[in-house]
């Protein structure tokens, strides 16, 4: 089933904080009762963020990872959401 809601957010060197954020986000999304996707945009992390995101994606097909070059404009992530889905864009890293 296609997602009704796409949550798109940047992450950069978030390996320590992203697990707790991700757990809270999934709890909220599951509570909505609609199909969703989570698109994490890895903005050139130098820590283990990408490994953590890969684990999330392996555990949940609704989680997607996009890798972009450091400093790519944030509006470049807009086309990442599924066509027809409402989009929530997280404006900050997952601090």
């Amino acid at each position: 089933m296609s997602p009704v809601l796409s949550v798109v957010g940047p992450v950069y060197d978030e390996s320590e904080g992203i697990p707790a954020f991700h757990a809270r986000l999934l709890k909220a999304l599951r509570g909505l009762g609609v199909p969703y996707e989570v698109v994490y945009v890895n903005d050139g992390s130098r820590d283990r963020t990408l490994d953590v995101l890969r684990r999330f994606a392996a555990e949940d097909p609704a989680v997607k990872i996009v890798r972009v070059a450091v400093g790519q404009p944030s509006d470049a992530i807009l086309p990442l959401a599924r066509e027809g889905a409402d989009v929530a864009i997280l404006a900050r890293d997952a601090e």
Side-chain angles (χ1 to χ4, degrees):
M1 183 179 298
S2 294
V4 174
L5 176 64
S6 293
V7 177
V8 181
V11 290
Y12 178 76
D13 289 348
E14 301 287 347
S15 64
E16 295 296 319
I18 196 74
F21 171 82
H22 183 70
R24 290 190 311 269
L25 178 61
L26 289 187
K27 182 177 179 181
L29 290 171
R30 290 176 180 150
L32 296 175
V34 299
Y36 63 86
E37 70 179 346
V38 177
V39 181
Y40 286 112
V41 181
N42 185 24
D43 189 16
S45 293
R46 297 168 297 183
D47 66 356
R48 297 189 50 96
T49 298
L50 186 57
D51 295 333
V52 174
L53 296 177
R54 286 180 175 149
R55 188 184 73 221
F56 296 162
E59 295 170 354
D60 185 347
V63 176
K64 312 290 188 261
I65 305 165
V66 176
R67 294 168 66 185
V68 297
V70 174
Q72 182 172 344
S74 59
D75 60 352
I77 66 175
L78 288 174
L80 301 176
R82 302 263 177 158
E83 188 173 331
D86 289 330
V87 177
I89 297 178
L90 306 175
R92 296 188 52 160
D93 289 353
E95 299 172 340

